[in-house]
Amino acid sequence: MGKSDLALPLTELEEYGSRLRSLKTRLNHTKRLFESYKDDIGDRSVNDALGDFESNWEDGREDITQQLDALGDMSDAAVRELKLNKAVKTEDKRGGKGGKGGDA
């Protein structure tokens, strides 16, 4: 088989799952963030609009966080699989199990 056209830095993929989970955590803290700026904003209409946004945001947040979890899990699984495949290929090159050939 020839080389794959897809090149992916494993270190980037390793960090992807945790970055997605970090994003999920930050998305789930919008209410606290908005409340922390309440005194700085001062204008009641702006604070009311932020409160309305937060209330509406709760409706779709669960779907988004589930999707972020699923993507993070897929990323972690891909990293495990790539590392396993790399380990198997390395062992094959060293004359270990799984090489081609056989009893002729």
Side-chain angles (χ1 to χ4, degrees), residues 4 10 21 24 34 39-40 43 54 59 63 76 82 86 98 102:
S4 171
L10 189 57
R21 289 181 189 91
K24 180 186 93 167
F34 292 164
D39 293 335
D40 295 330
D43 187 342
E54 173 61 31
D59 296 339
D63 290 337
D76 294 344
L82 289 169
K86 184 177 180 179

Side-chain angles (χ1 to χ4, degrees), residues 65-84:
T65 57
Q66 287 176 357
Q67 291 176 22
L68 288 171
D69 280 336
L71 286 170
D73 291 346
M74 285 189 276
S75 174
D76 294 344
V79 168
R80 282 191 304 273
E81 187 67 27
L82 289 169
K83 285 183 175 183
L84 178 63

